[in-house]
Structures are given as structure tokens and as C-alpha cells.
Amino acid sequence: MAFLLAAAFGALLTAGLTFREARSAILQRTQDTATADLRGQLDSLAPDLVFPPTTQTLRGLALQLDRAGGSRLWHASAAYQRGPLVSASPAAPASPAPPVAPVPDTLRREVESGGHAAYQYVERDGRPWLAVGMPVAYAREPARADTPRQDNPAGLSGLTAYVSFPLDDDQADIEALITAAQAGAVPALALALIPALYAAAHILRPVRRLRGGAERIAAGELDTRLDVRGHDELASLTRSFNTMAATLERDDAELRRLEAGARRFASDVAHELRTPLAAMAAVTEVLDEDAASGVLPEDTADAVRLISTETRTLARMVEDLMEVSRFDAKAAPLHLENTDLRTLVAKTLQLRGWADDPRVRTDLQGPLPVRADPRRIDVILGNLIGNALRHGRPPVVLAARADADDGRTVVTVTDHGPGIPADVLPHVFERFYKADTARTRSEGSGLGLAIAHENALLHGAALTAANSPHGGAVFTLALPPAPLEQP
């Protein structure tokens, strides 16, 4: 369409310029011919004129000019010293005179004041006319002494002659030009259709294929390849596209292989560490009892307590790594039950010794029926409350309510600490992310919030982090609703 529009514009512009030049040439030819004929007639008739001319003399001059017009059918008139125009008698010509266009006043003023020939186009009854005016120079000495020649150095006699004639033939020629231009524009557009179709076939279609291939690549179909046709720039671009797709597919396969290897390595390491850690935990429990009973020296007891703490930390990290590997392998089991969230919260606080801890408060607006995996909800709540106790300030408030708009159960865990820095908020659920890069060792495994987030996704829930307007961090868990089973 753009090609056709450009071709149409070019054809119209060319036709318009050609028409303008041809029209100007036709009218200029007619004007020059009419001016030359009038000048020739006046040069032949002026020597026989007597000055000052009478009205009869002017009428005779006009009659002679009418007869000299020939096929032009012009209508002549004459005036002396800005007097009235005098034309030939209507009854004198052998045939009736055609309708006459009057001589414009502007043309008379230009001829009489300028002392040179002039012309003007006029319209009469819808027909174009050309009016030509010309002053007449002296042909002999003035007959009267009161017409001093020294006051008229240009040699003008004061007599002016005018002719006007219709431009029917010129109008027909101009209309023929318009018809020819219109007739030529249609074949030009038809011929322009051929390169337009060629451009569409050889440019637009390959571009569409490239766009479709790029969309398939973006959708993950990295095995997409396009057929290479021809040897032009688009063919070279298509080959580059195929090379890019092949490189992306190869890199993606390599990244997937490395990622799978890393997951398998973490899972294998965690699995292999479980047995020795279980043995170490059993030994440290015995040593903890000895340290508590005072059997061991003080320095040895402190070392035993340190080893016991680190062993428990390492065991917890290994369990977290095992859980993460199950999430990555899409093998984490989910055992859903219809229960009341208040029961799950009470069990979590009881198991972790927070039931009577003044640092942890609850605000449960029940009943709160949910369909969830109790073990995984315990992990989520335990990690959120533990994280708030470690990094925030007490009291930590656990609130839950049923959302009246969509029926979800919304749980919030809020602390009264400094909150989460704005640059850290987008990363709080990432694995092993540290807000304080100067701290080389974290108190937990660095996987608690990540595991909580994965458990929430398993339930089809949303877990988000934000800062409270009154200070402190707020973690919000939105669980899908489920009614309690009736007994």
C-alpha cells in the first residue's frame, strides 16, 4: 500500500506539473498569436486614420478589426483618450455576432496608463475569454494644433483598441490534456502494482516469518529455524537468525544441564550428610548431658556446647537443602486436609515453645477454615515468626482473618523492628540472600523464607513482604478458602 501510494503521488505530481506547463504553453501561444495579429492589423490600419478620430471612425476601425479576426470570431472595440468604448454596429457583420465578453476596467487602465499591450482572461456565461488591449501610435502629424506631440514623447496617439474572443478551442485542448492525464494515471498505478507485489512477496513476507520465528523463540521454542531463500540481505538476516537460535538452544541446554547437575549435587551432598550428622547429633546429646551435669571441665563443656549448636545448625541446613531439592525436582508432596487455621497456629506455637512467650502475640478472628497441609503450614509460620524474632523487635504479632471480599484466609506476621530496606524487599525470598553483605555468617540456613515461599506456592497461596507504616516488617500469607468438613 505504501508503494502504491508513493506511485500514485508521483503519477499525480507528474501529471499535475505536465498539465500546468502544457496549459500555460497553450494559453501563452494563443495570447502571443492574438497580440501579434492585433498589432499587425493596427499597423496596417493606423496610417489611414485621421486624428482626432470621430465616433464613426472608431466604429469603422472596430468593424475592420472584426472582419480581420477570421476564425477567432473576436469582437473589437476602440476608444480615444479614455473615452467610451465604440464597437462595430451589430447589423454590419454578415452573420450574427456571438455573445461578447466586456473589456475589464482593469485592462483598460493598464493599457491607457502603461502605454503598452496587455491582456486579461475573463469568463462570460461559463466560457473563458481572452481580452487584449493595445495602444495605437501616431501614423501622421496630428490634424489639430492643440494636440502637441512634445507632450507625448512615446508617440502614442491616445487611441486604444481592444479585442476579446472565446477560448473554446483552447479549453477543449486543456480538457483533452486532463483526460489524457487521468487515462495515463490508471495504467501507471496498474504498473506500480507489479513492483508492489514483488516487494510484498520478497520483503514483507520474510519479515513476517522472522517476526513469527522471534515470537516462537520468546515462547521457549528454541528449536525454531527458518528456511533461507535467496541471497539478498533478508536471506543473510534469516541465516543470522538461525545461528542465533542455534546458539540459544545450545546455551539453554548447557544451562539446564548445569542446573540439573547443581541440584543433583546439592541433593546428593545433603543425603550423604544426613547419616553422619545423625550420629554426630546423638553423640552431642550425650555430651550435652555430661556438660550439664558438670562431669566435664568448664572449657570442655563450652566446646561441647559449641559443637552441639553447630551440629544442630548443620543438620537443619541439610534438611532445608533436602527440602529445596524436592521443590526443584517438583517432587515435594502435598497432603491437604480440611482444618481450622487456629488449630495449626496453636500447634506451631506449642511445638516451638512460643505458646507462653510474651514476645509472640496472636490475634485470630475465627473460625478460619482452610484446606492445607498441616506440616507445610507449620513450616511457613515457624519460619516467619522465627525470622521476625531474629531480625525484628518484639512483640511479634500473628494475626489471621477471613477476607470478606474473596473468602481467602489472610495471615500476617508483624514485628516492631526497623523494617526491611527498600533495596532488599524484592530479594527477601531468594535463597541464601543476605541483606548485610558484611555479615559472613547468618544465624539460620539462609533458606527459611525461600522454603516458606515455595510451600505457599504449593498451596496456591501468595506470600508477600512489606513494611508497616508504623515501623517493622509485615509478611502476609493469603490462603485459598475451604470450608470445614461437617461430621
Side-chain angles (χ1 to χ4, degrees):
M1 291 302 299
F3 196 96
L4 288 177
L5 289 176
F9 176 77
L12 291 176
L13 181 63
T14 303
L17 293 176
T18 303
F19 168 76
R20 189 186 69 175
E21 295 299 325
R23 179 179 180 276
S24 299
I26 291 173
L27 296 178
Q28 186 67 39
R29 180 197 61 191
T30 302
Q31 167 198 324
D32 293 344
T33 303
T35 304
D37 290 347
L38 180 60
R39 179 176 288 108
Q41 293 298 324
L42 291 177
D43 288 345
S44 63
L45 296 175
D48 298 329
L49 297 177
V50 177
F51 290 89
T54 63
T55 301
Q56 189 65 27
T57 302
L58 295 177
R59 182 173 289 110
L61 175 63
L63 178 60
Q64 290 178 316
L65 291 176
D66 283 345
R67 292 173 177 174
S71 60
R72 294 186 185 277
L73 298 178
W74 64 21
H75 179 78
S77 57
Y80 182 69
Q81 290 186 350
R82 302 183 180 182
L85 285 174
V86 179
S87 60
S89 173
S95 59
V100 178
V103 177
D105 294 337
T106 55
L107 178 63
R108 288 197 62 183
R109 287 195 295 269
E110 183 177 358
V111 174
E112 292 170 354
S113 61
H116 58 78
Y119 66 92
Q120 185 173 343
Y121 294 99
V122 295
E123 186 172 343
R124 176 74 179 272
D125 298 332
R127 298 171 63 190
W129 289 66
L130 176 64
V132 181
M134 185 177 296
V136 178
Y138 282 108
R140 58 179 65 176
E141 289 296 330
R144 294 174 53 184
D146 57 354
T147 309
R149 220 174 150 176
Q150 60 270 21
D151 295 338
N152 191 7
L156 298 180
S157 63
L159 174 65
T160 54
Y162 303 92
V163 294
S164 59
F165 56 92
L167 299 176
D168 295 338
D169 294 339
D170 301 87
Q171 182 69 17
D173 293 341
I174 293 173
E175 291 177 354
L177 282 176
I178 297 176
T179 303
Q182 293 175 345
V186 175
L189 291 178
L191 291 175
L193 182 62
I194 298 175
L197 292 176
Y198 179 84
H202 291 77
I203 298 177
L204 299 182
R205 290 175 186 170
V207 169
R208 291 194 185 101
R209 287 198 299 270
L210 285 169
R211 183 189 65 185
E215 290 175 350
R216 292 195 297 273
I217 290 287
E221 301 177 20
L222 299 182
D223 58 344
T224 300
R225 301 293 184 273
L226 301 178
D227 296 334
V228 180
R229 302 173 184 176
H231 302 281
D232 55 4
E233 289 81 1
L234 286 172
S236 176
L237 178 60
T238 304
R239 282 191 289 270
S240 300
F241 176 88
N242 289 338
T243 302
M244 176 196 69
T247 303
L248 286 175
E249 185 179 20
R250 184 175 60 252
D251 293 347
D252 179 74
E254 181 67 15
L255 288 174
R256 291 179 183 273
R257 186 186 65 81
L258 293 175
E259 184 179 6
R263 291 174 179 174
R264 186 169 55 253
F265 174 77
S267 177
D268 292 345
V269 168
H271 183 75
E272 292 298 327
L273 288 175
R274 293 184 72 181
T275 300
L277 281 174
M280 293 173 62
V283 173
T284 54
E285 287 180 3
V286 176
L287 293 176
D288 282 341
E289 294 177 359
D290 292 343
S293 63
V295 175
L296 299 176
E298 187 63 28
D299 293 341
T300 304
D302 292 339
V304 167
R305 294 188 188 95
L306 177 61
I307 292 174
S308 178
T309 301
E310 295 298 331
T311 301
R312 284 193 295 270
T313 301
L314 184 57
R316 186 167 58 251
M317 180 178 293
V318 169
E319 290 298 328
D320 289 345
L321 286 174
M322 291 291 293
E323 187 72 0
V324 167
S325 66
R326 284 189 287 268
F327 285 128
D328 291 341
K330 309 298 181 184
L334 186 66
H335 304 289
L336 296 176
E337 299 178 7
N338 287 336
T339 183
D340 192 317
L341 184 64
R342 294 176 299 176
T343 303
L344 300 181
V345 171
K347 289 182 179 180
T348 298
L349 298 180
Q350 188 68 34
L351 287 173
R352 288 169 173 76
W354 295 329
D356 300 321
D357 193 334
R359 300 178 302 165
V360 180
R361 300 175 184 175
T362 58
D363 180 13
L364 307 178
Q365 302 176 11
L368 301 170
V370 294
R371 182 169 177 80
D373 186 331
R375 186 182 71 85
R376 297 191 179 279
I377 294 298
D378 173 74
V379 171
I380 295 175
L381 298 178
N383 281 327
L384 294 180
I385 297 174
N387 183 77
L389 290 174
R390 284 193 300 270
H391 301 293
R393 294 196 191 101
V396 175
V397 180
L398 188 152
R401 60 179 175 81
D403 194 327
D405 295 333
D406 53 17
R408 296 184 304 170
T409 300
V410 179
V411 183
T412 58
V413 177
T414 308
D415 64 60
H416 293 77
I420 305 173
D423 59 332
V424 176
L425 270 176
H427 309 284
V428 292
F429 297 115
E430 294 180 5
R431 300 171 184 178
F432 299 110
Y433 182 79
K434 293 181 179 181
D436 184 4
T437 56
R439 186 178 62 195
T440 59
R441 175 79 183 275
S442 60
E443 298 179 14
S445 64
L447 295 172
L449 291 179
I451 291 175
H453 188 260
E454 293 289 347
N455 279 315
L457 294 179
L458 279 180
H459 286 83
L463 180 60
T464 58
N467 287 317
S468 172
H470 307 292
V474 181
F475 287 85
T476 304
L477 173 67
L479 290 166
L484 288 172
E485 289 185 347
Q486 299 297 328

